[in-house]
């Protein structure tokens, strides 16, 4: 026997199909009339959904219609992707100067490093492969 559907989920999904405004408000009044805690939860989800915008729909800058990434010559990510990182003692990575390697694993290497900004201190820095 299938589990009953969560009322919060079903009301939220149905409300998404309605335009924001009086029509959606009237539906929510009817759907949540018997549970005073349900309406604020649905409203919160709807506000979060409406506020999220379409940031995922825009894709990566430079994507073409096929979904392939076609970087432009001045794209700063190109040099990072093509650059071979040869980390080792004496190399600076941002505000960190690598002092000595203290470990290595499948995901990367861990170095003792000196942070130079905003304060000076010794840290462990993991460099991902």
């Amino acid at each position: 026997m299938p589990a009953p559907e969560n009322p919060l989920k079903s009301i939220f999904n149905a409300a998404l199909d309605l335009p924001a405004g009086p029509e959606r408000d009237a539906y929510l009044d009817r759907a949540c009339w018997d549970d005073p805690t349900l309406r604020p939860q649905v409203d919160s989800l709807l506000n979060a959904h409406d506020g999220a915008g379409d940031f995922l729909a825009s894709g990566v800058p430079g994507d073409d219609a096929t979904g392939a990434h076609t970087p432009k010559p001045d794209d700063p990510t190109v040099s990072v992707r093509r650059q071979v990182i040869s980390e080792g003692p004496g190399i600076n990575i941002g505000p960190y100067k690598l002092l000595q390697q203290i470990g290595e694993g499948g995901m990367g290497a861990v170095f003792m490093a000196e942070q130079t900004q905003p304060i000076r201190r010794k840290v462990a820095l993991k460099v991902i492969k």
Side-chain angles (χ1 to χ4, degrees):
M1 173 178 260
E5 187 172 350
N6 180 345
L8 176 63
K9 182 178 177 181
S10 62
I11 293 170
F12 170 72
N13 287 330
L16 283 178
D17 294 335
L18 300 171
E23 186 179 355
R24 183 187 279 180
D25 289 338
Y27 165 74
L28 292 173
D29 288 339
R30 288 189 312 273
C32 302
W33 72 271
D34 63 338
D35 186 349
T37 63
L38 189 57
R39 175 68 187 261
Q41 292 173 338
V42 175
D43 284 337
S44 176
L45 289 173
L46 289 169
N47 288 335
H49 179 271
D50 293 343
D54 61 350
F55 71 96
L56 290 177
S58 62
V60 176
D63 281 358
D64 60 18
T66 66
H69 182 65
T70 52
K72 296 180 174 135
D74 62 343
D75 185 350
T77 61
V78 172
S79 62
V80 172
R81 285 190 200 128
R82 293 184 184 156
Q83 184 180 24
V84 176
I85 297 176
S86 57
E87 66 279 341
I91 300 293
N92 287 321
I93 300 177
Y96 303 98
K97 180 177 181 180
L98 302 183
L99 301 176
Q100 73 180 60
Q101 185 171 338
I102 57 176
E104 186 171 1
M107 295 292 290
V110 179
F111 291 87
M112 179 173 37
E114 182 177 48
Q115 181 180 358
T116 57
Q117 301 222 5
I119 62 172
R120 206 170 180 92
R121 62 182 171 176
K122 288 193 178 176
V123 298
L125 184 70
K126 185 170 189 175
V127 179
I128 306 296
K129 290 182 182 178

